[in-house]
Amino acid sequence: QVDDIERIEVLRGAASSMWGADAMGGVIHIITKHGKGPATYNGMAEGGNYNTWKVGGGVSGEVDQLSYSVDASHLSNLSVSAAAQSMGNRERDPYQNTTFQSRFNYKVTEDLDLDWSTRYNQAGAGMDNCGGFGYKSYSGSGFVPCDNRFYYNNANQLYTRGQGRWFLFDRFWEQRFGVNYTMSDRQTYYTSKTISPDW
């Protein structure tokens, strides 16, 4: 989901002096939206093939020294089979994604500001046992197709960061102190209480 991105900067070549030793080949800098001026509201609705639909909305703006941007969206897709349909697999494996993101900035003085951003994502997808025709049964009962209507994957992700920026020498020198927290929880599970040995 890229709903909260304001712009993307691509810097080619070594940039370790600014971005650290890991940036020896270049930097892709993703800048999220931040509020400006009076409160502005936005909303959208989209639809497409395979029962695909997406809705979302948000608000951004400024109140005195505080700027804010808050967005949320939901995507749902009935999709196709994760296993090859050309090999006889017809059971659809749906996908859905719900995302919430926010950014708040408080300008303490002309040379000091505080920033806090959060992104939460919950996604789920149907899965199959394999990708081709199928596989031989462990119990010897025959050939088992790849389709599995009980098999799912679920993911919950949280990213949050708080930071302070202090500018010195007519904003020539910028100092930052920040704290990050990342949580990623992925689960693969069956929705049926009775699963055959083949599954």
Side-chain angles (χ1 to χ4, degrees), residues 33-105:
K33 297 176 184 176
H34 60 278
K36 297 177 182 178
T40 302
Y41 302 89
N42 66 83
M44 59 91 174
E46 301 173 350
N49 292 339
Y50 305 110
N51 288 5
T52 300
W53 58 272
K54 180 179 179 181
V55 294
V59 58
S60 62
E62 285 180 296
V63 178
D64 298 326
Q65 286 80 33
L66 175 68
S67 65
Y68 58 90
S69 175
V70 179
D71 289 273
S73 64
H74 179 79
L75 168 68
S76 180
N77 187 335
L78 189 55
S79 193
V80 297
S81 178
Q85 286 185 300
S86 60
M87 296 184 178
N89 301 288
R90 294 290 182 263
E91 179 259 331
R92 288 183 168 185
D93 297 296
Y95 173 78
Q96 64 174 6
N97 184 308
T98 301
T99 300
F100 169 83
Q101 47 213 0
S102 65
R103 180 175 181 180
F104 297 89
N105 180 274

Side-chain angles (χ1 to χ4, degrees), residues 8 19 27 34 40 59 66 69 107-108 123 149 159 162 179 195:
I8 300 175
W19 299 99
V27 172
H34 60 278
T40 302
V59 58
L66 175 68
S69 175
K107 195 171 185 179
V108 182
R149 65 183 183 279
Y159 308 95
V179 178
I195 304 298

